[in-house]
Amino acid sequence: MSIDEQLMTKRRILSAARRLFHSPGYQNARVVDIATAAGVSRATVYNHFVDKEAILRALVEDYLSGYARISESMVEAADRDESIFAVLLRMVEDALAWRVANADLRPAIEIARQILPDAHTAANRAADDALRKQLADVHRRSVKHGIVRPDIDLNYAATALYSMIEAVLSSFDVGSSEAEIKAVAEQLTLLQWYAVYTISPEVAPNLGS
Amino acid sequence: MSIDEQLMTKRRILSAARRLFHSPGYQNARVVDIATAAGVSRATVYNHFVDKEAILRALVEDYLSGYARISESMVEAADRDESIFAVLLRMVEDALAWRVANADLRPAIEIARQILPDAHTAANRAADDALRKQLADVHRRSVKHGIVRPDIDLNYAATALYSMIEAVLSSFDVGSSEAEIKAVAEQLTLLQWYAVYTISPEVAPNLGS
Amino acid sequence: MSIDEQLMTKRRILSAARRLFHSPGYQNARVVDIATAAGVSRATVYNHFVDKEAILRALVEDYLSGYARISESMVEAADRDESIFAVLLRMVEDALAWRVANADLRPAIEIARQILPDAHTAANRAADDALRKQLADVHRRSVKHGIVRPDIDLNYAATALYSMIEAVLSSFDVGSSEAEIKAVAEQLTLLQWYAVYTISPEVAPNLGS
Amino acid sequence: MSIDEQLMTKRRILSAARRLFHSPGYQNARVVDIATAAGVSRATVYNHFVDKEAILRALVEDYLSGYARISESMVEAADRDESIFAVLLRMVEDALAWRVANADLRPAIEIARQILPDAHTAANRAADDALRKQLADVHRRSVKHGIVRPDIDLNYAATALYSMIEAVLSSFDVGSSEAEIKAVAEQLTLLQWYAVYTISPEVAPNLGS
DNA sequence: ACCGACGGGACGCCCCGTTGCT
DNA sequence: AGCAACGGGGCGTCCCGTCGGT
């Protein structure tokens, strides 16, 4: 059996698990169901994952690693010397798009938070911090321009933005249309902008300046 | 056994379940653990609740009913003709305080969202809508004063506020000190305010005016 | 559920196991088969026995305890002051009858010897020794009468008798007819007698004399 | 790989299996253990034997074929015109020596009796009958001499002898010392002799006479 | 209310024998 | 011949929810 086929097997198990963890849910998805859906036997599942939990862990880690990639792309974006608002907007868009693309993973991630207290938190913090660091950077540079409201704690502002990105998914049930995502991203960015900055988005200074 | 004693037993079961659902978590809390912690036998638990799920459901419903009470108190507050900012602030404070007081229930509520898809959503919507309706009312009245940013969708703004209240708990690990809660509430209210309104909080009009 | 019913359940499991250990054999008898044959669930089997091995152990112990009862009955017989030959004959008859009645347990006992090295040996030795002690007693008293062949080691003779009782089962496939058992017992006793004693069975002295 | 090397491999597998079937026993000896002990891989074991059972079968067949050789040597012995007692003694010695040399195979043979009902019985009967035929021959010739006890069934006597040979192993744990084997063989032969014959061993007639 | 046996069913483990690939 | 993934299937554990007896 080739190495490619091994990877395929693992991927098919993950894919089946992802589908079944979304519905009928992690608890109701039996290992044998995942195996059958992946076209393998139960034993094979245990050849690739020590645990049903390990499958969950793998899914969550895959998801969180996507976050890290977003923050990397942001670093590059920063080099292109765009306006602060544009940078924020891109960031929100990217994060939102990633979440939408992985909306079916939400239940799994919530479960992971429950039953993988340490593992999840560790990986999650890593991913969150990647994004948070970027936002903190934007904020810090903004302060130099004297455009940040003096009575706003930027930590809360950052948390607010993230939680909104999160919440907007479950509340508004955003479709996968790119246009929709853009519209929502703009709204969220505007909210963040007005909450934090004293000037209009149109006159936002460049990040690099 | 008197009715009072029966209620006591039920309450002790709920209390034990609440403690155990928080740690070691819903899945890891066995019915016999709950029974033992409540000082009763496993059979007695099943005399009061048809299901382990039913205990979870009862806990969540208790929690959500508290939300409804908050919105009721807001209606009264509105009658006292305070400023819009003050009303918002009180609302955030109340919601935050309630969440803090029930912070240990968060895991249980998340689980309920997973495994009680219909029951939870129904109750949750009811509670959410109660608050949301109040906020929508505040927003609607604000519009009449012409102080709302024209490029902001108030639906997103409302969602943002709620998600922030939610998120601030897990991120900042707010203690139960009333002063702390007040400080955080003010920050969140300010964020919401600046995001939505064009004027300074100090000159906010009265709700009833 | 009454205590009687509990015992019944355990007995029915043992009975089913006994049947299935004989055919299709210990290894081929699945726990679920035993459970089904006993009219209970697999879980119930594990409520009564920690192991599949424990069922085997229980069967073997029951069987061996029967041996002990035989030797007890021999002690009483000895008090009736019969002839040595008659005592030997009764002993062989009893042992043979017990083995015939439990012939279906032979495979299980052989398996037990394999997979329960210590447990089996311990119990088996106890049962064997019970009988062996009786036989040794008969032999010892015989020596006093000067009727034992001087070139015969009575230890080997005793072992020979036991092994014959054992072997005659598998080789001759004795039916359960009492007459058949008596006939075989007489043959075996005669073999033992002639091998050990110098006189004719008809003139055998009494045990007590 | 040469044919010799193949045979070597097969022999080493059998040797390892023999060791492991003795301890920790057939059921507890995993195929991978046998392979490792033989210095080959698990797959190679399956190249030489279709089954784990096939290994057991091969061991038992090797063992039983040794019995056939004993009976062949007895035929030759008979031609040397020795006394009946000497012939019996040699027979018992040979059988006993063979059993002692293969004492470690006993557990495997017992298992084979359980799980290879047909295969074992067939081969076993063949080997047993080879010996039994010889003994029957001796007995038949003895009858002609009028030295057999009239009240003894020679079938039982033959069975008795075989079972004793078998039993003496497990009960007395005979060492491999030749002298010990000789002593035990003499005892067993004497037991058989006295049980069956009316005359003293010293005056036993010759087999051929 | 309490107790304990019970049916049910998933989990993780372990080992067998098979099958392609190297 | 060696290797490793795989299907298959039994074992023992665990917990749930039920039920009858005390």
Side-chain angles (χ1 to χ4, degrees):
Chain A
M1 174 162 294
S2 75
I3 291 180
D4 282 1
E5 280 168 6
Q6 282 185 42
L7 286 177
M8 273 305 293
T9 299
K10 188 157 196 167
R11 215 168 300 153
R12 281 167 59 209
I13 292 170
L14 282 174
S15 168
R18 180 174 180 154
R19 198 163 56 253
L20 292 170
F21 285 175
H22 177 68
S23 166
Y26 178 79
Q27 299 299 339
N28 297 329
R30 293 172 306 172
V31 174
V32 66
D33 294 335
I34 298 170
T36 303
V40 299
S41 78
R42 210 167 67 97
T44 298
V45 172
Y46 283 103
N47 274 347
H48 288 273
F49 302 93
V50 297
D51 240 339
K52 190 176 165 187
E53 273 188 20
I55 307 177
L56 180 60
R57 216 187 314 267
L59 283 176
V60 171
E61 278 167 12
D62 281 0
Y63 168 71
L64 292 176
S65 74
Y67 256 126
R69 275 196 297 278
I70 291 179
S71 90
E72 288 166 16
S73 85
M74 280 188 59
V75 174
E76 301 164 14
D79 294 342
R80 283 197 295 278
D81 194 34
E82 301 172 331
S83 82
I84 292 183
F85 184 81
V87 168
L88 277 179
L89 183 56
R90 179 192 313 279
M91 183 174 117
V92 173
E93 265 182 33
D94 285 349
L96 208 47
W98 178 248
R99 296 240 162 176
V100 167
N102 295 281
D104 59 324
L105 268 179
R106 294 316 301 164
I109 290 168
E110 286 303 332
I111 288 286
R113 176 142 56 194
Q114 303 290 333
I115 66 179
L116 309 174
D118 39 313
H120 170 77
T121 307
N124 199 26
R125 284 283 171 195
D128 266 24
D129 288 355
L131 268 194
R132 207 176 294 267
K133 221 172 98 187
Q134 299 303 322
L135 186 56
D137 193 42
V138 171
H139 281 158
R140 201 180 57 249
R141 297 187 191 214
S142 307
V143 171
K144 292 183 188 162
H145 287 99
I147 58 176
V148 173
R149 296 185 191 277
D151 52 352
I152 287 296
D153 182 329
L154 290 178
N155 282 325
Y156 287 93
T159 295
L161 182 54
Y162 286 114
S163 64
M164 281 158 59
I165 293 172
E166 188 84 21
V168 87
L169 275 184
S170 52
S171 297
F172 282 73
D173 211 8
V174 178
S176 51
S177 129
E178 202 173 329
E180 272 184 291
I181 293 176
K182 271 197 188 305
V184 173
E186 184 165 348
Q187 272 298 309
L188 297 190
T189 310
L190 275 179
L191 282 171
Q192 172 78 358
W193 183 267
Y194 289 133
V196 171
Y197 298 109
T198 53
I199 62 173
S200 168
E202 287 87 17
V203 297
N206 279 14
L207 189 63
S209 64
Chain B
M1 174 163 288
S2 75
I3 291 183
D4 280 2
E5 281 168 358
Q6 278 192 37
L7 283 177
M8 271 307 291
T9 299
K10 188 158 193 166
R11 213 169 300 152
R12 280 167 58 210
I13 293 170
L14 282 173
S15 168
R18 180 176 180 152
R19 196 163 59 254
L20 291 171
F21 286 175
H22 176 68
S23 168
Y26 178 79
Q27 300 299 338
N28 296 329
R30 294 173 303 173
V31 174
V32 64
D33 294 335
I34 298 170
T36 303
V40 299
S41 79
R42 208 165 66 94
T44 302
V45 173
Y46 283 103
N47 279 345
H48 288 275
F49 300 93
V50 296
D51 240 341
K52 190 177 168 187
E53 273 188 20
I55 307 176
L56 180 60
R57 216 186 315 266
L59 283 176
V60 171
E61 277 166 12
D62 281 359
Y63 168 72
L64 292 176
S65 73
Y67 256 127
R69 276 195 298 278
I70 290 179
S71 88
E72 287 166 16
S73 85
M74 280 188 58
V75 173
E76 301 165 13
D79 294 344
R80 285 198 296 277
D81 193 35
E82 298 173 334
S83 84
I84 292 183
F85 184 82
V87 169
L88 277 178
L89 184 56
R90 178 194 312 279
M91 183 173 118
V92 172
E93 265 182 34
D94 285 350
L96 207 47
W98 178 247
R99 296 239 162 178
V100 166
N102 295 280
D104 59 325
L105 268 180
R106 294 316 301 164
I109 291 167
E110 287 301 333
I111 287 287
R113 174 141 59 191
Q114 304 288 336
I115 65 180
L116 308 173
D118 38 311
H120 169 77
T121 307
N124 199 26
R125 284 284 171 194
D128 265 23
D129 289 355
L131 266 194
R132 209 176 293 268
K133 223 172 99 187
Q134 301 302 322
L135 186 55
D137 194 41
V138 172
H139 281 158
R140 202 179 56 249
R141 297 188 192 213
S142 305
V143 171
K144 292 183 187 160
H145 287 99
I147 57 178
V148 173
R149 295 187 190 274
D151 51 354
I152 287 296
D153 182 329
L154 291 178
N155 281 324
Y156 286 93
T159 297
L161 183 54
Y162 285 115
S163 64
M164 281 159 59
I165 292 172
E166 188 83 24
V168 87
L169 275 183
S170 51
S171 296
F172 281 73
D173 212 7
V174 179
S176 52
S177 130
E178 202 174 329
E180 272 183 292
I181 293 175
K182 273 198 186 306
V184 173
E186 183 165 351
Q187 273 297 310
L188 297 189
T189 310
L190 274 179
L191 281 171
Q192 173 78 1
W193 183 267
Y194 289 134
V196 170
Y197 298 108
T198 53
I199 61 173
S200 169
E202 288 87 17
V203 296
N206 280 13
L207 188 62
S209 67
Chain C
M1 174 162 296
S2 76
I3 290 181
D4 281 0
E5 280 168 8
Q6 282 184 44
L7 285 178
M8 272 305 293
T9 299
K10 188 157 196 166
R11 215 169 298 153
R12 280 166 61 208
I13 292 171
L14 282 174
S15 168
R18 181 176 180 151
R19 200 162 56 252
L20 292 171
F21 286 176
H22 176 69
S23 166
Y26 178 78
Q27 298 299 337
N28 296 328
R30 296 173 302 174
V31 174
V32 66
D33 294 335
I34 298 170
T36 303
V40 300
S41 79
R42 210 167 66 94
T44 298
V45 173
Y46 282 103
N47 274 349
H48 287 274
F49 301 93
V50 297
D51 238 338
K52 190 177 165 187
E53 273 188 20
I55 306 177
L56 180 60
R57 215 185 315 267
L59 283 176
V60 171
E61 278 167 12
D62 282 359
Y63 168 72
L64 292 176
S65 72
Y67 257 125
R69 275 196 298 277
I70 290 178
S71 89
E72 288 166 15
S73 85
M74 280 187 58
V75 173
E76 302 165 12
D79 294 342
R80 286 198 294 277
D81 192 33
E82 300 173 332
S83 83
I84 294 183
F85 183 82
V87 169
L88 278 178
L89 184 57
R90 179 193 314 280
M91 184 174 118
V92 173
E93 265 181 35
D94 284 350
L96 207 48
W98 178 248
R99 295 238 164 180
V100 168
N102 294 281
D104 59 324
L105 267 179
R106 293 319 300 166
I109 290 167
E110 287 303 330
I111 287 286
R113 176 143 57 194
Q114 303 290 333
I115 65 180
L116 308 174
D118 38 310
H120 169 77
T121 306
N124 200 25
R125 283 284 170 195
D128 266 22
D129 288 356
L131 267 194
R132 209 175 293 268
K133 222 171 100 186
Q134 301 303 322
L135 186 54
D137 194 41
V138 172
H139 281 159
R140 203 180 56 249
R141 297 186 191 214
S142 306
V143 171
K144 293 184 187 160
H145 288 98
I147 57 176
V148 172
R149 297 185 189 276
D151 51 351
I152 287 297
D153 183 329
L154 290 177
N155 283 323
Y156 286 93
T159 297
L161 183 55
Y162 285 115
S163 64
M164 280 157 59
I165 292 171
E166 188 84 23
V168 86
L169 275 184
S170 52
S171 297
F172 283 72
D173 210 8
V174 179
S176 49
S177 132
E178 202 174 327
E180 272 183 293
I181 294 175
K182 270 195 187 309
V184 173
E186 184 166 349
Q187 273 298 309
L188 298 188
T189 310
L190 276 180
L191 282 171
Q192 171 79 1
W193 184 265
Y194 290 132
V196 170
Y197 298 109
T198 54
I199 61 173
S200 168
E202 286 87 19
V203 298
N206 279 13
L207 190 61
S209 65
Chain D
M1 174 164 289
S2 76
I3 291 182
D4 280 2
E5 281 167 358
Q6 280 190 35
L7 283 177
M8 273 304 294
T9 300
K10 189 157 195 167
R11 214 168 299 151
R12 280 167 57 210
I13 292 170
L14 282 173
S15 168
R18 181 174 179 154
R19 198 164 54 254
L20 292 170
F21 285 176
H22 177 68
S23 167
Y26 178 78
Q27 300 299 339
N28 297 329
R30 295 172 304 172
V31 174
V32 66
D33 294 334
I34 298 170
T36 303
V40 299
S41 80
R42 208 166 65 95
T44 301
V45 173
Y46 282 103
N47 279 345
H48 288 276
F49 301 92
V50 297
D51 240 339
K52 190 177 168 186
E53 272 187 21
I55 307 177
L56 180 60
R57 217 185 315 264
L59 284 176
V60 171
E61 278 166 11
D62 282 0
Y63 168 73
L64 292 177
S65 73
Y67 257 128
R69 276 196 298 277
I70 290 180
S71 89
E72 287 166 16
S73 85
M74 279 187 59
V75 173
E76 300 164 14
D79 294 342
R80 285 198 296 278
D81 194 30
E82 299 172 331
S83 82
I84 293 183
F85 184 81
V87 169
L88 279 177
L89 183 57
R90 178 193 313 279
M91 186 174 116
V92 173
E93 267 182 34
D94 285 350
L96 208 47
W98 178 249
R99 296 241 162 173
V100 167
N102 294 281
D104 59 325
L105 268 179
R106 293 316 302 163
I109 290 167
E110 287 302 332
I111 288 285
R113 176 143 56 194
Q114 303 288 335
I115 67 179
L116 307 175
D118 39 312
H120 169 78
T121 306
N124 200 25
R125 284 281 171 195
D128 265 24
D129 289 354
L131 268 194
R132 208 175 293 266
K133 222 171 97 188
Q134 301 303 322
L135 186 55
D137 194 40
V138 172
H139 281 158
R140 202 178 57 250
R141 297 185 192 215
S142 307
V143 171
K144 292 183 189 163
H145 287 97
I147 57 176
V148 173
R149 296 184 190 275
D151 52 352
I152 287 297
D153 183 329
L154 291 177
N155 283 323
Y156 285 95
T159 296
L161 183 55
Y162 285 114
S163 64
M164 280 158 59
I165 292 172
E166 188 83 22
V168 86
L169 276 183
S170 52
S171 298
F172 283 73
D173 211 6
V174 179
S176 50
S177 131
E178 203 173 327
E180 271 183 292
I181 294 175
K182 270 197 189 307
V184 172
E186 184 167 348
Q187 274 297 310
L188 298 189
T189 310
L190 275 180
L191 282 171
Q192 172 78 3
W193 183 267
Y194 289 133
V196 169
Y197 298 109
T198 53
I199 61 174
S200 167
E202 287 87 19
V203 296
N206 279 13
L207 189 62
S209 63

